[in-house]
Amino acid sequence: MGLLGAEEWQALGLSLRVAFWATLWSLPVALLAAYALARWRFPGRGLLNVAVHLPLVLPPVVTGYLLLLTFGRTGPVGGWLEAHLGLVFAFRWTGAALAAAVMGFPLMVRAMWLSLDAVDRRLEEASATLGAPPWRVFLTVTLPLALPGIIAGALLGFAKAMGEFGATITFVSNIPGETQTLPSAIYTFLQIPGGEGAVAALVAVSVAVSVVALVGAEALSRAVARRIGMAP
């Protein structure tokens, strides 16, 4: 069956699915948070900054436990979502995507924040003086100039989602075919005698995905720097 067996392919497919939806869900919220931090001054801005970066410093197991308390079936949010929308996160792949989104969120916001900060505000002001409303200035000036950084943030978030383990296994456990992502599968094969071959294959795939994401993010960051005249 080649480099990967059936169980490994299943874990890879689930990881890609989880990472895709985690990135997609996070992207608009991360962009809004980054724009607020880069452009607005308001009471509570410091608290927003702390909340955005908190998953970076909290132990992943703590983050997963907090997600379980909040979005579990008996949690205040999870119970309401199940009762009114039929949406369940605990011990489902959707919960794995939520955990991955939370853990990757700070990386996405940081990259987008730096990119928005790099946009020359004089260009935005010039567009506004010509009569463009704020939403048009954002869509036609700010967003195109910040787009490489936004894409870089999305790639970093995707890579983080592919590698997320601690919060995911705490929140949704390690269920083959449902919540067993690449890191969880690696952990499982490490506990099995003779599982070294599967571990090596999965590690190689994980490293390859992470390298591609990081190289892509770096290339796009350089594109941003060249655009604003900060790099040769």
Side-chain angles (χ1 to χ4, degrees), residues 131-166:
W135 64 267
R136 186 179 293 276
V137 173
F138 176 77
L139 290 178
T140 60
V141 178
T142 310
L143 188 61
L145 291 174
L147 187 58
I150 293 171
I151 296 174
L155 287 173
L156 289 174
F158 183 88
K160 177 61 177 176
M162 285 287 294
E164 169 50 34
F165 174 70

Side-chain angles (χ1 to χ4, degrees), residues 170-190:
T170 304
F171 183 31
V172 298
S173 190
N174 183 12
I175 306 170
E178 181 65 37
T179 64
Q180 189 178 81
T181 57
L182 273 178
S184 301
I186 291 172
Y187 175 79
T188 299
F189 282 118
L190 282 172

